[in-house]
Amino acid sequence: MTEIPWKTYTENQKFSCFDESTEKDWNGNFYFVQTADIQFGLIQRYLENNPQPGWAKETALAELAVEKVNRMRPRPRFMVMCGDLCDAFPEQQPELREQQEKEFKRIFSKLHQDIPLVCVCGNHDVGDEPTAKSVQAYRNSFGDDYFTFWCGGIFFIVINSQFLWDSSKVQDIAQEHEEWLNCVLAEAKKNKVKRAMVFQHIPWFLYSPDENESNYFCLNLETRMKWMDKLREAGVQYTFCGHYHQNAGGAYKDLRVVTTSAMGGQLGKDSPGVRVVRVQERTVDHVYYSLENIPSVIQVDQPE
Ligand SMILES: [Fe+2]
């Protein structure tokens, strides 16, 4: 058996393209590709209600995405998958999970070597109620579940929103995550970081910061109010999320919360796709493309 070549960005395994000494400063317009929820296994299990596990549809979608993203010019600085990499919960179905992860890595290792894949942890990746065991299994397979990096003058913060959803079985690990995030945000505020973005799985809210807190698809009101001003004060202007399997978005003051539909199974009227986020010197814009329509040329210098 040949070893699956696998690369993912983590704090411990820094790609040279995210070298802080060169990436902290603005170095011209660029873009990245943001997506979420390829979730190998969801379509057959949930949308088709098929008792036999399988993920042929996700395989075809992921292969199309990799092929299209590899064709993009100039190349994106990175691609980020905002959680739910696979469908099977690690504690309930570890063997099935292992097969799905193998498929995820088989396909995404075909991304061009100059396009790092940043993986974010979703609820299906550690369970709705994460445990020490499920978190460790994720870290063993994908690396860190929370970290920061600089790219093109923007400070990126990857968080594990599952600790904000339900920390009942992982209070000590969730506490470490909270202390780390407080520290990162305080440091960014102290250093007057001007442009920062967050990647997470579960959105703070879908459309409006004061919407109903009993929604399965976003974090509750108390949690979001605890963090959103801290994010703003640390220079965070955008937070990109997944989990909803539909596109959504809204703003809290000057913090924009952008929810991107799934690369895999849909729960609304969107098509499987990715979001292209262009970063210019003073502005950011983003467009969701279905996989078939991912453009091969991105005009990074064209004014908005
Ligand atoms: Fe999810």
Side-chain angles (χ1 to χ4, degrees), residues 37 39 84 122-124 201-202 216 243 245:
D37 301 277
Q39 207 169 333
D84 283 1
N123 59 310
H124 278 263
H201 182 59
I202 305 180
Y216 171 76
H243 188 52
H245 297 249

Side-chain angles (χ1 to χ4, degrees), residues 25 52 80 155 181 237 263:
D25 299 319
Q52 278 298 107
V80 56
F155 186 49
L181 185 53
Q237 298 159 322
M263 182 184 280

Side-chain angles (χ1 to χ4, degrees), residues 31 49 59 179 221 227 233 256:
Y31 75 98
N49 212 4
T59 291
E179 282 167 16
L221 197 57
W227 289 104
E233 287 162 14
R256 293 163 186 87

